[in-house]
Amino acid sequence: PLPEQRCIAEILDSADEAIRQTRRVIAKLRDVKKGLLHDLLTRGLDADGNLRDPDAHPEQFKNSSLGRLPREWRVEKGEDIADLITKGASPRWQGFEYQTEGILFITSENVREGFLDVSDPKFISEDFDRKLQRARLEAGDILVNLVGASIGRSCIYSGEFESANINQAVCTFRLKRSIVPSWVLSYLRMPKTVSRLLEDQVETARANISLGQVSEFLFPLPSPREQRRIAAILDAHDA
């Protein structure tokens, strides 16, 4: 009946409007996040937990190869803050095929903007995983796409799967214990950082980032305590 049609339509219209409003809020929060990323990852937090102010306290800053940074921060190469920088291989190049079960196999399609998407998982055999032993993932590994349309995209592998490995299009960046993974991931996700990473890509038939470039890439490095404080703020904002 017409009254029931109208009632149902009003309910669905209200749901659609709630979705539109939520999307607008998310878009605003994403804009706020961009500014927050820039401020926290270039100015950092003082001893009281406040953003350093370069105008009010220029003595707290210094010029570096990465621009103006807090005086206490260091600039380090990727190879100096990592225990391992490597990539995997293609199973088909080695005479193997994908399987319906086995060892989770992560490709560049799974590495999204800040998160790992395994809604459409691939698997490899234990035999191939043994051949790629060096590329086996551990919790806290940062994954960076080296090739393709998603080049430069990065996320953290949190260790939610019993075992996992990667292909040749993904770099594993395993940090030293003194480095906070979410700090490095936040820095890698800054638009300015992505642009700098892509400036160094190898000019071949298919643009790519080499492991050597990841090893030589420069990172700003606050103290571990400041890394954790900044990472906690950014994680809360993402949540």
Side-chain angles (χ1 to χ4, degrees), residues 160-173:
E160 61 267 49
F161 303 95
E162 184 177 349
S163 54
N165 215 309
I166 55 174
N167 76 348
Q168 74 285 356
V170 180
C171 166
T172 297
F173 193 43

Side-chain angles (χ1 to χ4, degrees), residues 98-128:
Y98 290 126
Q99 302 183 166
T100 55
E101 58 183 21
I103 308 298
L104 180 69
F105 196 59
I106 292 172
T107 69
S108 59
E109 296 171 355
N110 304 121
V111 178
R112 313 298 292 181
E113 286 289 358
F115 69 97
L116 188 65
D117 178 8
V118 288
S119 55
D120 185 18
K122 303 179 183 70
F123 299 94
I124 55 172
S125 67
E126 292 184 0
D127 287 342
F128 185 53

